[in-house]
Every structure is written in structure tokens, then in C-alpha cells.
């Protein structure tokens, strides 16, 4: 069962305080069940959560329509943005009163906060990536990392490696994409970052998979699917013949969809000694950070209060 969603063409004035979810197929997201479980824990009983479905790569005017609605509508309080972080920022920067430092540097927006005719943009994936990765990989220092895809979430993860990981930074990071401009954004962001990291960017040729790149990773490497394949688009960035680096980590950024990469990693888990993680913890951290930004609740990133929210989300997953 999916929740009712809006589109940029069907936006209407909110009838109660409302937070939105700007994505591609928002109606099937678990956040509708999770947010219902969180409402009494966070004191948000009167707040509605509404999805806005926007096709991938929409015209800039579409993103501007969404941002302007949130800014101008009296009861719209803000939004979490998923797939459209980079495109929404590019199309709508002039509509935003201000952006936080991460949004300005990464040129992406993952949360919008609206009040009284103004709207601000925040990039929160840097902290979300850090919190999620630290829960998956106990010690990252010196490892190889393959980041498949160079969209907004991948950019934020690489930003963490380059500028915040410090002594726990990986030794080598390989980032791939089909688009030169996205890889250029990665190269721009990591400039001036940790000089101890070896960076490799690789533009995929049409039809090319990541199997050979996977074979070139050192044992214990971290492999991240940030392509959107398996959620927003069908398929996987690997073939079923791919072999993972032994003793490594396979991290699927998504938690729903056909999740071909996750299936492949689980099938190889025993043979390759893998730790396999889907995007659920990333999902919970991402939403708690966005809800906190929109409603200024002081939600912690760890400890008993966070674990209560995590457990509530698990119960309705």
C-alpha cells in the first residue's frame, strides 16, 4: 500500500503544519509509517508528512515551483530532498534566503526549512554519511573505497573523507559516474582536502559495469552503491559474476526497491567474507537530521533518545 502523494502540478495549500518529502516515488517510502511512530515521541502530533514526486532530471522550472510553494505557503514548514539534491540547488539558489556552509560548498540541498515567507537550504548528508559509515565500518583508516555513482549523497560521503575523517581517512577512493560534470564536482570538492588520500575518478563508458574495478580493490575494501540503480532505476552497477574484495564491506545506500546490488552482495557474503549493509540506518539518520532542521528539536545523533527513535522505526519497517 502506498501513501497519497502530490506532484509539482498538484501542489495545494497545506491545511495543517506540513513537512514534505521531495523524491521520485515517495508514496512507497517507509517514512510514512516511521513518521507516524515518531510523532508522539517528538511532539509533532499535528504535523502532516506529504510526498512530492518529481521525475529524475526534471526541468529547472519544476524545482522552482516546489521551492516557491514551500516558501509561500503559510503552513508548509520544510522538506527532505532525496534524489534531486544537486538539481534543486542548481535551479533554485536565488529563491533561498540563505544556505548552510555545506550546501554552499557541495552545491546541493538535502533539507529545506520554511517560515513566514522565507526558505533556507541545508546540506545534511555530510553528517548523515559520517554517522552511518561509522556504524558499519569500525575502522576505515587506510582502506580502499569504491563509490559507485557521484550524485549528491556520494559527494557528501567523499567530502567527509576529504575534509573530516582525519586519521580515520581511507587510503584510496575510486569514484565512478556516467556524467563528467558530477565527477568534476567530486574533484572540485576534494581539492585542498586530506593529501594522504589517493583519489581516482572514472567515467563509465556506455554499458560498462564495475566488475573490473571491484577486482582491483584491496582486501577489506568498502564498496558503496550510490548510483540509484535498484531504487530509482532498475538493475545494478555490477553483474552477477562480480567478486567482492575479501573481508570487505558492501554498503547499499538504498533500503527499498529491487536492490540488485544488495542481492548480489548477500549472495557473495559467505564466500567473500563480506559485511553487508543496506540503507536503513542511513535513512533513519537522514530523516532525524532533516526533521531536526525543520522543527529545531535538538534530536541527538546517538544515545538513548536516538535509539528510541531508531527502535520505533525498526518496529514499523
Amino acid at each position: 500500500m502506498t501513501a497519497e502523494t502530490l506532484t509539482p502540478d498538484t501542489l495545494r495549500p497545506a491545511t495543517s503544519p506540513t513537512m514534505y518529502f521531495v523524491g521520485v516515488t515517495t508514496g512507497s517510502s517507509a517514512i510514512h509509517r516511521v513518521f507516524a511512530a515518531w510523532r508522539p515521541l517528538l511532539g509533532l502530533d499535528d504535523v502532516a508528512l506529504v510526498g512530492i514526486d518529481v521525475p529524475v532530471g526534471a526541468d529547472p522550472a519544476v524545482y522552482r515551483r516546489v521551492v516557491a510553494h514551500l516558501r509561500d505557503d503559510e503552513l508548509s514548514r520544510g522538506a527532505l530532498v532525496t534524489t534531486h539534491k544537486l538539481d534543486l540547488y542548481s535551479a533554485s539558489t536565488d529563491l533561498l534566503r540563505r544556505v548552510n556552509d555545506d550546501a554552499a560548498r557541495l552545491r546541493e540541498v538535502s533539507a529545506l526549512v520554511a517560515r513566514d515567507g522565507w526558505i533556507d537550504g541545508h546540506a545534511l548528508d555530510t553528517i548523515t554519511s559520517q554517522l552511518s559509515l561509522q556504524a558499519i565500518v569500525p575502522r576505515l583508516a587506510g582502506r580502499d573505497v569504491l563509490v559507485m555513482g557521484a550524485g549528491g549523497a556520494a559527494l557528501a560521503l567523499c567530502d567527509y573523507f576529504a575534509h573530516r575523517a582525519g586519521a580515520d581517512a581511507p587510503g584510496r577512493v575510486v569514484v565512478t559516474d556516467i556524467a563528467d560534470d558530477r565527477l568534476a564536482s567530486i574533484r572540485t570538492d576534494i581539492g585542498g582536502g586530506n593529501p594522504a588520500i589517493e583519489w581516482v575518478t572514472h567515467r563509465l563508458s556506455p554499458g560498462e559495469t564495475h566488475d573490473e574495478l571491484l577486482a582491483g580493490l584491496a582486501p577489506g575494501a568498502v564498496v558503496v552503491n550510490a548510483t540509484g540503480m535498484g531504487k530509482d532505476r532498475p538493475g545494478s552497477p555490477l553483474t552477477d559474476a562480480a567478486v567482492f574484495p575479501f573481508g570487505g564491506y558492501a554498503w547499499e545506500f538504498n533500503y527499498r526497491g529491487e536492490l540488485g546490488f544488495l542481492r548480489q552482495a548477500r549472495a557473495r557474503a559467505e564466500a567473500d567474507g563480506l559485511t553487508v549493509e543496506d540503507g536503513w540506518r542511513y535513512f533513519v539518520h537522514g530523516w532525524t537530521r532533516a526533521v531536526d532542521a525543520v522543527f529545531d528539536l535538538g534530536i541527538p545523533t546517538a544515545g538513548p533518545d536516538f535509539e528510541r527513535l531508531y527502535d520505533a522505526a525498526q518496529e514499523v519497517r
Side-chain angles (χ1 to χ4, degrees):
M1 183 175 179
T2 59
E4 181 183 4
T5 62
L6 300 175
T7 72
D9 293 324
T10 61
L11 293 171
R12 56 180 182 261
T15 57
S16 64
T18 299
M19 180 174 178
Y20 297 89
F21 170 20
V22 183
V24 179
T25 53
T26 60
S28 56
S29 175
I31 191 54
H32 298 286
R33 299 188 301 277
V34 171
F35 195 78
W38 283 352
R39 281 191 183 99
L41 300 176
L42 296 173
L44 299 176
D45 296 277
D46 63 337
V47 173
L49 180 72
V50 176
I52 303 175
D53 287 353
V54 180
V56 176
D59 188 272
V62 172
Y63 296 113
R64 293 179 65 84
R65 195 179 312 147
V66 172
V67 173
H69 173 79
L70 268 67
R71 180 196 63 192
D72 299 336
D73 183 61
E74 181 179 1
L75 291 175
S76 292
R77 297 289 183 254
L80 176 139
V81 183
T82 56
T83 306
H84 308 287
K85 299 179 183 77
L86 293 167
D87 289 338
L88 186 144
Y89 180 95
S90 176
S92 309
T93 312
D94 63 304
L95 301 179
L96 304 176
R97 182 184 67 163
R98 61 176 173 235
V99 298
N100 70 351
D101 290 343
D102 282 356
R105 186 176 67 257
L106 301 178
R107 302 182 65 78
E108 70 165 49
V109 166
S110 56
L112 296 163
V113 179
R115 294 290 188 282
D116 302 323
W118 56 259
I119 188 163
D120 292 346
H122 299 258
L124 304 174
D125 281 353
T126 46
I127 183 64
T128 299
S129 297
Q130 175 182 350
L131 294 168
S132 304
L133 183 64
Q134 288 174 340
I136 298 167
V137 184
R139 186 174 180 275
L140 183 65
R143 294 184 189 272
D144 280 0
V145 179
L146 173 61
V147 182
M148 300 181 292
L155 180 60
L157 179 62
C158 291
D159 182 85
Y160 165 65
F161 294 153
H163 300 290
R164 304 184 186 201
D168 198 40
R172 183 171 71 113
V173 182
V174 181
V175 188
T176 72
D177 205 273
I178 59 174
D180 286 324
D181 59 336
R182 293 183 183 266
L183 293 173
S185 295
I186 296 285
R187 288 191 290 268
T188 297
D189 179 68
I190 63 176
N194 189 339
I197 303 173
E198 177 189 351
W199 290 91
V200 180
T201 57
H202 178 84
R203 187 178 67 80
L204 294 169
S205 304
E208 183 182 0
T209 68
H210 291 78
D211 292 23
E212 290 188 13
L213 293 173
L214 212 66
L217 299 174
V222 180
V223 181
V224 181
N225 178 28
T227 65
M229 295 183 72
K231 181 193 171 205
D232 297 328
R233 302 189 304 279
S236 166
L238 304 176
T239 74
D240 285 346
V243 176
F244 288 80
F246 189 82
Y249 298 81
W251 184 14
E252 166 63 76
F253 265 12
N254 301 309
Y255 75 92
R256 66 181 177 92
E258 64 176 47
L259 302 179
F261 170 82
L262 187 66
R263 171 187 58 78
Q264 292 165 331
R266 286 173 172 166
R268 295 293 311 179
E270 183 174 357
D272 296 341
L274 292 178
T275 297
V276 181
E277 186 81 13
D278 71 359
W280 184 253
R281 186 166 288 270
Y282 187 93
F283 167 86
V284 173
H285 276 303
W287 270 100
T288 53
R289 291 304 91 216
V291 171
D292 190 60
V294 171
F295 297 104
D296 194 21
L297 300 173
I299 300 173
T301 59
D305 288 342
F306 173 79
E307 290 303 323
R308 274 192 288 274
L309 294 173
Y310 186 83
D311 291 344
Q314 281 285 76
E315 289 177 7
V316 297
R317 181 176 183 181

